[in-house]
Amino acid sequence: MKNAEIVIGLLAGVALLAAIAQRAGLPYAAVLVLGGLVLGVIPGIPRIHLDPQLVLLGFLPPLVYATAFQAASYNLRPNLVHILTLATGLVLLTVVVVAAAGRAVAGLPWVSAFVLGALAAPTDPVSASSVMRDVGAPERVVAILEGESLINDGTGLAAFQVAVVAAGGGISVGSGVLRFIAISVGGAAVGLVAGWVLVRLRRRLDEPSLEIVLGLLAAFGSYVAAYAIGWSGVLAAVTAGLYAGRHAEDISSAGTRLNVEPFWDALTFVLESMLFLLIGLQLPSIVSGLHGSVGTGILDGAVIVAVVFAVRGAWMATLRVMPPAVGRTIAAVVERLPGAGRLATSAGEPLSGRELTVLGFSGMRGSLSLAGALSIPLLVSHHAFAARDQVIFLVYIVVIGTLVLPSLMLETVVRRLGLAGEDELRRLDLEARTRIVHAGLARLDELGPESGVPQDTIDRLRALLELRLERLDAQRRRDGAGPGDGSGDGSAQADLDAAVHRLRREVIGAERQALAELRERRRVPAQVLARIQRDIDLDEIRLH
């Protein structure tokens, strides 16, 4: 029962801290990190000792697969050069510089220092991207940030894998570089195969439960297969998620996607949240294994945090003055890679100083760095891993330093730089919706006479689409984004919309009451009631 009690306690802690974050309007990741820290120092809280292999297999595959699957729909192509420079060059530079700092400041052995550098290098965009989307930051900045994280997760953890192997001895710098390349390329190849198989299987199915099972199988299967060969399981899961997510609209119905996507959202949230709490609960045992005092460890960690920010800031400054020819050269090289096709057609528009400032400030570390730290093996070649607790402690300090304060300040930074554009985002949303409705009307006019559908039905459908256009136009007039007939008409339309909104809420409330009465009578199958409940929920979602 002890394990069950631990799981229940973790879930309760996640629920409580997430609720506090929501009520306070704070990024949940920052609250969970601090909450885990507080729980770790409370006397009487049970101490948890995790098997490193359990962390690798239980947390990383679904986390990276879900992130890649959800981000696959973003158009990364125009920003591919920027993403590659951040996700490869910046990561590798960070690994080297942080390793040197860990050696000089904390006195870590070189191998342990490189493990620290590999875990401190990859970014976690969850908090940054959510905050920037809330304030309407430019979509290009958000796309670059999320695209960077997809690739640098694999790059950083591939370097981590090489460093752990090096801890066993018998590996030179040259062979380490070759092994890094093999680990990365091999992992991506395994993930591509897994994604291809998954897509072929899902084309023959349209059942949400089966698609969830197949997605989990692709995440864990690709990771385990690549890891068993000695390649990057993280890159395998990332590639499988990217491939499957890119084909999601072709292989799944809307109803299936509506059921599957919330599952991945919830799973990612639970796994990330539990990681933050787990490492907090392990802090007492980690602190007890430190060679020096806790204060010394915190100071060493603060220096590492400063180094991480300095390296990222210096890299952004370099990108600001990078000649356009360098970007065109990188794009040309990527185009010639096997299988790249037309992936990179240009070097992309240069990033402005304000965009680079926001990207530099958004280099937050999070759940993947923590998962990697917890997965450091206890023994390497029958010997204890050197300075394991010290490395984990420093990674935790890096996560706190790069996540908590920046996530709380990011909205202010974006607004001060003039990059917050809620009005622009709303205008683009209205334009996109209007274009979609016009496309529907045009297609209805093309097929209407020959569709075999009664004319009155066609007229009702056309009236529905035209009503949507009227509402979009009313919204545009209220936002000042288009011509209107005066403020009085806009106010009247707003009053009418509010009245319609109230009426629809009353209708939905009556439907829910009738559904509750049917449920109490128990004369309708539960499966039917569930479908009706889902339809009512969708109507309420559309209402909001």
Side-chain angles (χ1 to χ4, degrees), residues 297-355:
I298 293 176
L299 290 176
D300 292 344
V303 173
I304 301 299
V305 170
V307 169
V308 168
F309 274 118
V311 172
R312 189 171 180 88
W315 188 270
M316 296 302 168
T318 302
L319 289 182
R320 184 74 175 90
V321 298
M322 184 179 71
V326 176
R328 291 193 296 269
T329 301
I330 297 175
V333 170
V334 174
E335 285 179 337
R336 289 176 170 79
L337 293 177
R342 297 174 59 84
L343 183 62
T345 56
S346 69
E349 293 295 325
L351 291 166
S352 68
R354 293 183 301 167
E355 291 172 331

Side-chain angles (χ1 to χ4, degrees), residues 105-196:
V105 174
L108 295 174
W110 272 116
V111 171
S112 301
F114 272 102
V115 169
L116 171 64
L119 294 174
T123 57
D124 186 338
V126 175
S127 297
S129 61
S130 62
V131 171
M132 287 200 288
R133 288 188 186 281
D134 288 342
V135 300
E139 186 64 22
R140 182 167 75 144
V141 174
V142 181
I144 291 174
L145 183 65
E146 292 178 335
E148 173 197 3
S149 73
L150 282 177
I151 301 175
N152 74 12
D153 288 344
T155 307
L157 292 180
F160 165 72
Q161 192 170 339
V162 173
V164 170
V165 171
I171 183 172
S172 63
V173 175
S175 61
V177 172
L178 292 177
R179 190 178 184 89
F180 172 80
I181 296 174
I183 285 174
S184 303
V185 175
V190 171
L192 189 62
V193 172
W196 183 87

Side-chain angles (χ1 to χ4, degrees), residues 86-434:
L86 292 172
T88 55
L90 176 57
V91 168
L92 295 177
L93 177 63
T94 303
V95 171
V96 174
V97 176
V98 170
R103 172 70 175 175
V105 174
L108 295 174
W110 272 116
V111 171
S112 301
F114 272 102
V115 169
L116 171 64
L119 294 174
T123 57
D124 186 338
V126 175
S127 297
S129 61
S130 62
V131 171
M132 287 200 288
R133 288 188 186 281
D134 288 342
V135 300
E139 186 64 22
R140 182 167 75 144
V141 174
V142 181
I144 291 174
L145 183 65
E146 292 178 335
E148 173 197 3
S149 73
L150 282 177
I151 301 175
N152 74 12
D153 288 344
T155 307
L157 292 180
F160 165 72
Q161 192 170 339
V162 173
V164 170
V165 171
I171 183 172
S172 63
V173 175
S175 61
V177 172
L178 292 177
R179 190 178 184 89
F180 172 80
I181 296 174
I183 285 174
S184 303
V185 175
V190 171
L192 189 62
V193 172
W196 183 87
V197 172
L198 173 63
V199 168
R200 295 307 178 275
L201 290 175
R202 287 178 57 178
R203 288 188 190 279
R204 294 170 171 80
L205 302 169
D206 192 24
E207 171 58 39
S209 299
L210 289 177
E211 293 213 8
I212 289 174
V213 172
L214 288 175
L216 290 172
L217 181 61
F220 286 103
S222 61
Y223 185 96
V224 171
Y227 189 78
I229 300 173
W231 294 338
S232 174
V234 172
L235 275 175
V238 166
T239 306
L242 281 173
Y243 190 91
R246 192 65 177 172
H247 294 83
E249 294 188 5
D250 302 330
I251 60 180
S252 301
S253 65
T256 297
R257 292 195 301 273
L258 196 63
N259 283 277
V260 171
E261 291 175 3
F263 165 80
W264 288 109
D265 289 336
L267 181 64
T268 301
F269 170 76
V270 171
L271 291 178
E272 288 182 334
S273 302
M274 292 181 72
L275 270 176
F276 289 133
L277 293 185
L278 282 171
I279 198 167
L281 293 175
Q282 290 196 108
L283 270 182
S285 60
I286 293 171
V287 169
S288 64
L290 294 178
H291 296 301
S293 66
V294 176
T296 301
I298 293 176
L299 290 176
D300 292 344
V303 173
I304 301 299
V305 170
V307 169
V308 168
F309 274 118
V311 172
R312 189 171 180 88
W315 188 270
M316 296 302 168
T318 302
L319 289 182
R320 184 74 175 90
V321 298
M322 184 179 71
V326 176
R328 291 193 296 269
T329 301
I330 297 175
V333 170
V334 174
E335 285 179 337
R336 289 176 170 79
L337 293 177
R342 297 174 59 84
L343 183 62
T345 56
S346 69
E349 293 295 325
L351 291 166
S352 68
R354 293 183 301 167
E355 291 172 331
L356 288 171
T357 300
V358 171
L359 286 172
F361 197 74
S362 304
M364 304 175 187
R365 275 63 176 173
S367 57
L368 289 176
S369 295
L370 295 179
L374 293 176
S375 70
I376 297 175
L378 298 172
L379 299 174
V380 178
S381 298
H382 306 292
H383 296 285
F385 191 96
R388 180 180 186 271
D389 290 333
Q390 192 175 3
V391 171
I392 296 177
F393 184 81
L394 291 174
V395 170
Y396 191 67
I397 298 298
V398 168
V399 170
I400 293 177
T402 61
L403 176 62
V404 176
L405 186 61
S407 67
L408 297 176
M409 296 177 58
L410 184 57
E411 180 176 354
T412 302
V413 171
V414 173
R415 292 187 182 280
R416 289 287 180 87
L417 291 173
L419 293 177
E422 297 97 327
D423 294 338
E424 177 68 11
L425 195 63
R426 187 161 52 246
R427 182 187 67 80
L428 294 174
D429 178 81
L430 289 173
E431 288 182 356
R433 292 177 185 276
T434 302

